[in-house]
Amino acid sequence: MGSAASSGGSGALHGRIDKRQAILDAAFTVFARRGYAQACVQEIAEEARVAKPTVYSHLNDKETLFRHTIEAAADTLMAENLAVVERLRERAPDDDLRGSLTDLAQRLLRICCGERARALRWLTYAQVARFPDLIETVQERTAHRPRAALADRLARLALAGHLRPCDPEQAAEHFFALLTGPLESRSRLGTRRVPAAELRVIADAGVDTFLRAYGSD
């Protein structure tokens, strides 16, 4: 009897979590489509296929909904970036460090150019006056934590002799800057879609410059 009740309670909790996630996903779609000012909770409820009061029961008001929506989108991008950095951890660099770093660069650029990342940047910048703290939240999750993870990997590569002795945090910062700087320019601050061929050029040039500075040879 107790087990059945526990199972039922767990199912209800998962159902609530799933519904909350559906609301956040729908809210991101609507905010990206309309902007914060023009988006309405009714449209978000319809997008999520829930009743309007259900939205309010999970997230109290439009401002709270926006904050949690931005944070959830940033968490998703953080997970994608960390997974890409983890691939570098798993791949043995002995044979082709340049190839491993180029693969990492290309994957990071594709994430940065994705619809979610572009919409997140636009929404965060557009509402910086109303939600100034969200800039730091987004940067912490989409840039600082992936950079810290890369620094850890670069430190290991340096200890193994694949890179010259260096400050791994600075090296990771330089690696990301070599990608995001040219990308911001070519994308015109996110307003232009960058073709895959151009992303490959950015990745190749970034890795080449990085290895000239930090390569062990």
Side-chain angles (χ1 to χ4, degrees):
M1 184 73 174
S3 176
S6 175
S7 176
S10 176
L13 176 60
H14 284 299
R16 182 171 176 80
I17 292 173
D18 291 343
K19 190 167 290 185
R20 177 187 174 87
Q21 187 59 53
I23 292 169
L24 292 173
D25 290 341
F28 188 76
T29 298
V30 175
F31 283 130
R33 183 165 62 218
R34 304 287 190 195
Y36 177 79
Q38 298 301 319
C40 67
V41 175
Q42 180 60 47
E43 184 176 2
I44 291 170
E46 292 172 358
E47 184 79 24
R49 299 183 179 180
V50 299
K52 186 176 179 179
T54 301
V55 177
Y56 287 117
S57 73
H58 284 264
L59 298 134
N60 299 332
D61 50 40
K62 184 178 175 181
E63 180 175 318
T64 301
L65 176 58
F66 184 78
R67 285 184 176 279
H68 283 273
T69 296
I70 293 299
E71 291 170 359
D75 281 340
T76 297
L77 288 172
M78 179 180 67
E80 292 176 1
N81 282 320
L82 289 175
V84 167
V85 173
E86 188 66 24
R87 284 176 57 89
L88 180 64
R89 186 188 303 275
E90 293 170 352
R91 294 182 62 170
D94 299 339
D95 297 330
D96 189 11
L97 176 59
R98 180 182 294 272
S100 296
L101 290 174
T102 300
D103 177 72
L104 170 65
Q106 290 179 350
R107 291 176 183 275
L108 288 172
L109 286 169
R110 285 198 293 270
I111 293 171
C112 194
C113 283
E115 290 294 333
R116 185 183 299 273
R118 292 173 69 243
L120 179 61
R121 286 200 300 276
W122 176 72
L123 285 169
T124 305
Y125 295 154
Q127 298 304 319
V128 67
R130 184 187 291 265
F131 304 96
D133 58 302
L134 284 182
I135 289 286
E136 183 176 350
T137 297
V138 170
Q139 286 187 333
E140 169 65 21
R141 299 180 187 188
T142 63
H144 297 167
R145 292 189 194 178
R147 193 167 65 212
L150 178 59
D152 176 73
R153 183 52 181 153
L154 295 180
R156 294 170 184 269
L157 290 173
L159 285 173
H162 300 300
L163 296 174
R164 70 170 177 79
C166 62
D167 179 341
E169 293 184 2
Q170 185 178 68
E173 184 177 18
H174 288 167
F175 186 86
F176 274 94
L178 287 167
L179 303 181
T180 57
L183 181 61
E184 286 292 276
S185 176
R186 288 175 181 260
S187 69
R188 297 170 192 157
L189 300 179
T191 62
R192 170 183 176 265
R193 294 182 184 278
V194 182
E198 288 188 40
L199 294 181
R200 288 193 293 272
V201 169
I202 295 172
D204 290 343
V207 170
D208 183 66
T209 303
F210 181 81
L211 288 177
R212 286 174 184 270
Y214 291 100
S216 60
D217 295 335

